[in-house]
Each structure stands twice: as structure tokens, then as C-alpha cells.
Amino acid sequence: MLPPRSSLLLAALVTVGALLAAPLAILAPSSATASAPTVAVAGSGDGSSVTERKPRRAKDPRRRLGLFVDPRMPAAQQGSAYRRIARQPQALWFTDYYPTSSVRSAAIDYLRRAKAARKTPTMVVYAIPGRDCGQHSAGGLGSPAAYRAWVRQLAKGIRASKAKPLLVLEPDAIGFYADNSACAGTRPWPALLKYAARTLTRSGAWVYIDSAHSDWSNANGGVPGRAALLKKSGIRYARGFSTNVSNFRTTASEHAYARTLLRELRKVGVKGKRYVVDTSRNGAARPVSGDVINPTWARLGAAPRLRFKGAFDGTLWVKHPGESDGPVNSSATSGQWCDQLADRLLGRPESPGC
């Protein structure tokens, strides 16, 4: 049985009214924006208003995720004796140990594991030609062209992983370059740092160009000269700079140094930069100047933690505690794990050797 004509008319009017009053939110994206703020927009002319949800821009995941603890780090392979070190997030170093043909896949593997853990990965690039000026960690790619090609492949790996890593760029390069008399073959370094900073930032990394530390020699202009060198080396493309990588200066000293460097950067027109501090081995209250190869007095420093407090992004463990700086105060070569060194950092009786 059909309803009366008056009922049909009434039903039609109700339907039209419902459509006019329906929230425009039905046109909005799915529940991902359900908590977004609303704003009033014009209604149907009867003095009422409807609301439209505006999508909230997602915060960068690095601001809300913790740092990645990689179970493949050296300390994690040493058993429970070194759990205190193994349980802390540490950086994975990308050096010429990974050839150009495989550095992309190595980056994808590491970064995807961090992404699966819903954590922020930390990387180090340490492959510039003439690295470490012929000292214990000497090496690097064979030429500027080889370095650029290697960096491009690494950047492709970062981009393919869709991860958002923190990346410390070329520890010690700025410090050594500022003292050219002690190191030959560094002339291409600023251009290479600029290329790497730009390329790796575009891939999605937060790049921190390493800027030595508070106790590094003040050759060639001191901190003002170092700021000018950072500008020449493309810090405008980077998020900022790192300090104290693989070194032992106190965190307070590094904060003071970073504030001075930020001030000098502003003087040369570079503003808005941030910094991170390596606290992996800076727990000693009174570090000894110049004693930087496996010092016997060194201790673990504060745990890594992102803070985002003003210009200070946080503390990282860039150096792996327990890995040697070279065959001084230890029999281990640079980069080799040594129980003795780990014991020393933990402040307990040392194993007889490595």
C-alpha cells in the first residue's frame, strides 16, 4: 500500500532538511583526522552553522618515537655481561666497509628493521677520502667522484626505506680540516661535505655535520673559523652539527661549546641550527686533554635521549662503547670489540685482554 501523497511530501522535505544539516565532515578523510580541530563555516541561511574538520599535520616521527636499539650491535653479541651497554641505542656506522654496490641494500636492511620496531635509527657516515688523516682509523673512498657515487647510493637506500634517520656526517673532518698542516689531501672535503649534506637531507635524514669538540685545537681561527668552515661545508642543508663524537669531554663543556658555535654561525649568516652530543664515553668528571685513545679513566656517559630543548636535540651514543680507538692502552685495533675496554668503561675489574 502506498503512503498518502501528503506523507510523501513530508518525507521529501525531511530528507532535504537532513541533507542540508548533514556535517560536511562526511567529505573529510578517514579516522586518521578524527581528532583534528573544527572550524565554523556558513550554514543554510537560517543562522546555524556547520563544522568542517581540518586535517592536522602529522608531527615528524623523530619527535615522538624513541631511538632504535639494534640487537646486532657489538655489545649485544657479548652476552649478559655487557647488557648495560647493549640495551642502549647506538649508531650504525656506514663506511667504505660497505662498497658502493651494496651500501644501498645495507641501509635498507638497517632502516627497515628500525621502522618495523617503530623506532628512530641513528646512522654515521664515515667514508670521506683520506679519513682520519692517516691515523688509526685511516681509510675512506678512493676519490671525490667515488665518494659522491657512494653517497648517492646510500641516499637511495634511505629514500627506499621511507625511514627518517638521524645521521652524523663525517666525524673529525671539520676538526682536521681546520688544521691543514697536520693532514694532507683534505682540500676537497668542504665540497664533499656540502654534497653529502644536501643529498642525504633530501633523502629524508636529519643530518648533523660533525664539528669536533670543545677541547679540539683552536688552529686556524678557533671556533669562529670553524663556523665559517661549517658554512662552507653546507651546514645550511643540514639540521645542525654534532659534537664530542668518539671523545670524552663532559656534556656541560659540550653545551658551552655548542652555544659558542651557534653564536658564531649566526655571525656568518647561518641561523636556526641544532646540535646533538655524543655521550657514549664522557662519564668521567675530569677528562685529560690529549689522552683520547682508549683512555684508562674513561667511563660510560649519560644514556641517549632526544630532548628537543631549544637548539639541543639530545644525546646520542655515536661511538660504540667497548670498541677500540686503536692499539694504545689496549691490544685491539681501531673498531675492534674488546672486553677489557668495555670493563674499563663500566668501572669494574678489567678482563686480561681482548
Side-chain angles (χ1 to χ4, degrees):
M1 179 176 178
L2 294 176
R5 184 174 180 181
S6 60
S7 297
L8 289 172
L9 179 60
L10 178 59
L13 291 172
V14 169
T15 301
V16 171
L19 289 172
L20 289 173
L24 294 180
I26 61 174
L27 301 177
S30 65
S31 59
T33 57
S35 61
T38 58
V39 294
V41 297
S44 58
D46 60 358
S48 65
S49 64
V50 292
T51 57
E52 179 180 10
R53 295 190 182 278
K54 296 183 69 175
R56 185 189 300 246
R57 186 176 183 179
K59 288 185 177 180
D60 190 292
R62 285 164 284 212
R63 291 187 171 274
R64 55 183 171 80
L65 300 179
L67 293 167
F68 178 46
V69 179
D70 188 354
R72 299 182 188 176
M73 284 293 161
Q77 311 307 312
Q78 311 306 318
S80 60
Y82 301 104
R83 185 177 297 141
R84 184 177 164 194
I85 296 173
R87 68 187 182 190
Q88 298 296 345
Q90 298 166 51
L92 181 60
W93 290 60
F94 284 83
T95 73
D96 46 307
Y97 170 83
Y98 299 102
T100 305
S101 60
S102 64
V103 69
R104 178 181 181 273
S105 60
I108 290 173
D109 174 70
Y110 171 65
L111 296 172
R112 285 184 175 169
R113 288 191 293 111
K115 192 171 183 180
R118 299 186 61 80
K119 297 295 182 181
T120 295
T122 308
M123 308 172 69
V124 184
V125 166
Y126 192 51
I128 203 164
R131 180 187 68 211
D132 203 35
C133 293
Q135 299 190 44
H136 296 299
S137 297
L141 276 299
S143 68
Y147 182 74
R148 291 188 181 94
W150 184 90
V151 166
R152 286 195 296 273
Q153 291 302 310
L154 179 62
K156 287 179 180 179
I158 296 172
R159 192 175 297 111
S161 73
K162 299 182 180 179
K164 299 291 183 183
L166 311 179
L167 190 151
V168 173
L169 181 60
E170 299 298 349
D172 294 344
I174 291 292
F176 277 126
Y177 189 89
D179 192 9
N180 263 326
S181 62
C183 182
T186 61
R187 182 170 293 181
W189 284 8
L192 293 178
L193 288 170
K194 180 187 290 186
Y195 180 83
R198 181 175 61 243
T199 303
L200 295 167
T201 295
R202 288 175 176 173
S203 75
W206 276 359
V207 174
Y208 301 88
I209 301 178
D210 189 60
S211 63
H213 55 79
S214 59
D215 198 48
W216 195 287
S217 169
N218 286 329
N220 293 335
V223 179
R226 203 165 292 167
L229 180 55
L230 282 166
K231 180 178 181 179
K232 184 178 179 181
S233 301
I235 196 170
R236 69 179 181 274
Y237 299 113
R239 182 169 175 86
F241 58 88
S242 59
T243 78
N244 205 45
V245 170
S246 298
N247 214 271
F248 309 92
R249 301 301 101 190
T250 66
T251 305
S253 296
E254 294 309 293
H255 281 312
Y257 167 61
R259 287 192 294 268
T260 302
L261 187 52
L262 287 166
R263 184 166 59 249
E264 295 301 326
L265 282 169
R266 288 193 291 269
K267 289 180 181 178
V268 295
V270 178
K271 301 177 182 179
K273 296 304 168 183
R274 297 167 174 83
Y275 69 97
V276 291
V277 177
D278 183 359
T279 57
S280 57
R281 302 186 297 175
N282 76 340
R286 295 179 179 84
V288 180
S289 294
D291 187 8
V292 296
I293 308 297
N294 306 319
T296 57
W297 44 262
R299 296 294 182 270
L300 290 180
R305 182 182 174 188
L306 296 180
R307 295 180 181 274
F308 304 113
K309 184 177 181 180
F312 178 47
D313 276 357
T315 55
L316 301 175
W317 279 13
V318 182
K319 175 71 176 182
H320 300 161
E323 286 191 357
S324 176
D325 299 313
V328 177
N329 293 325
S330 166
S331 62
T333 57
S334 178
Q336 179 185 340
W337 172 268
C338 181
D339 289 356
Q340 180 188 56
L341 296 176
D343 293 337
R344 188 179 295 168
L345 291 169
L346 291 165
R348 65 193 188 192
E350 297 179 12
S351 301
C354 302

